[in-house]
Amino acid sequence: MVLKGKKILIGISGSIAAYKMPLLVRLLMKEGAEVQIIMTPAARDFVTPLTLSTLSKRPVLTGPFNPVDGTWNSHVDMGNWADLMLVAPASATTLGKMANGIADNLLVTTYLAAVCPVFIAPAMDLDMFQHPSTRQNIKTLQSYGNHLIAPREGELASGLCGAGRLEEPEVILEILRDFFKGIQSWAGKKVLITAGPTVEPIDPVRYISNHSSGKMGYALAEEAIKRGADVTLVSGPVSLPAPSGVTLIKVHTAQQMLEACQKVFDASDLLIMAAAVADYRVAAVSDHKIKKQGGAGTPALDLVENPDIVKTLSAHRNDGQYIMGFALETDNELANAQSKLMSKGMDAIALNSLNEQGAGFGTDTNKVTLIHRSGISYTSGLEPKAGIAGRILDFIEETIVNP
Ligand SMILES: Cc1cc2nc3c(=O)[nH]c(=O)nc-3n(C[C@H](O)[C@H](O)[C@H](O)COP(=O)(O)O)c2cc1C
């Protein structure tokens, strides 16, 4: 079930072939995909939003906002959400708009904002399909990296016979399946990822922790799942849903995180330590709430150092295991990250900088410098954490092959 959990954005435009789309939506849903449908205004004359929303179990979007309550259908969010966008049927008009960036409807706006692979399945009458402007638009769209699902030859709605029929839903499904199979480059790999903060109790109601939101670690888990890996996510307390398909182990303290990792690490091919582990814990946790001293001084908190999880695990690593850690530095960033990389026996380190606006804790975006112990390094731009997760996994792929 390679399509299970895949987020598919379907753009339907005004072609008679839109009648085939409910069947394709049904097939995708049966495979366990999540389907979000956008229709052009013209498409609504060919197939009803009601049929499509019922089958996809989501509201169908036809405009940039809901005219009743004014809520905005964010094309940027949808473009980031999708693992794949399929424009089918793609009318001559929609092809022209996509090729030329004419973003006057939600479908084309979302297409321009999409960061995922895009498949385009044109459908039109044979002469429209043969017209030089249509041919040129398709060529342009292919030159931008879009994938073409070429129309079939056969009987057309006009009564003519020739190329222009939308490919059959079963075949489109197969093409999408094959595409995802092809990018399952981490199939069979067991990946252990840590995420979020650790929380070290002081007494039954108070704790020491940090601002980690877990977003980076969860994005990494989601990306590894997309690439076909078997992912265990050991997570401190965060308010994020577990990516579908991961084995989630929830922990609170650094000690619990270490123990959870120790159970899984031996059988893992890769460890990515994205959690922000507290360096210290309280030496003696009070079993009752520490009372205010009423002016008679302040309570002293005796701290002891927590175990260094990555160092502890890397000391018992097997041949071929790959370990990546994270460093969040405020000063001497590169030098500190490099020294951590070496002293903790890691293969690579991802450096976040708190000095970079939009990067680091709690944000939806990040910017990282990735350093491999061989000296290979890469600095990303500021991107959504999902995109950064992709860069990190690409870097791991590259440095596993070229250690
Ligand atoms: C009955 C009928 C069938 C149509 N079928 C197609 C078609 O298969 N392909 C196409 O490119 N246009 C077709 N059109 C024309 C489009 O609906 C029209 O160009 C529309 O503006 C497309 O807008 P859109 O791409 O924004 O949905 C058809 C029009 C009608 C009335």
Side-chain angles (χ1 to χ4, degrees), residues 293-326:
Q293 312 276 300
T298 50
L301 285 183
D302 249 347
L303 300 179
V304 288
E305 212 168 297
N306 268 328
D308 187 319
I309 299 180
V310 74
K311 204 170 174 178
T312 311
L313 295 173
S314 78
H316 299 101
R317 64 192 291 167
N318 302 322
D319 282 352
Q321 277 182 316
Y322 187 107
I323 300 178
M324 172 178 265
F326 269 69

Side-chain angles (χ1 to χ4, degrees), residues 13-17 40 42-43 46 90-94 97 105 123-125 128:
S13 64
S15 151
I16 187 72
T40 63
F46 295 89
S91 71
T93 305
T94 290
K97 288 182 182 177
N105 64 36
M124 64 202 68
D125 204 47
M128 290 173 80

Side-chain angles (χ1 to χ4, degrees), residues 226-247:
K226 270 189 206 164
R227 296 185 188 206
D230 177 356
V231 179
T232 301
L233 179 62
V234 177
S235 173
V238 295
S239 52
L240 296 171
S244 89
V246 303
T247 304

Side-chain angles (χ1 to χ4, degrees), residues 66-86:
N66 180 333
V68 178
D69 61 11
T71 47
W72 178 43
N73 300 320
S74 167
H75 53 281
V76 178
D77 287 352
M78 280 188 288
N80 278 320
W81 169 84
D83 296 321
L84 183 143
M85 183 174 187
L86 167 70

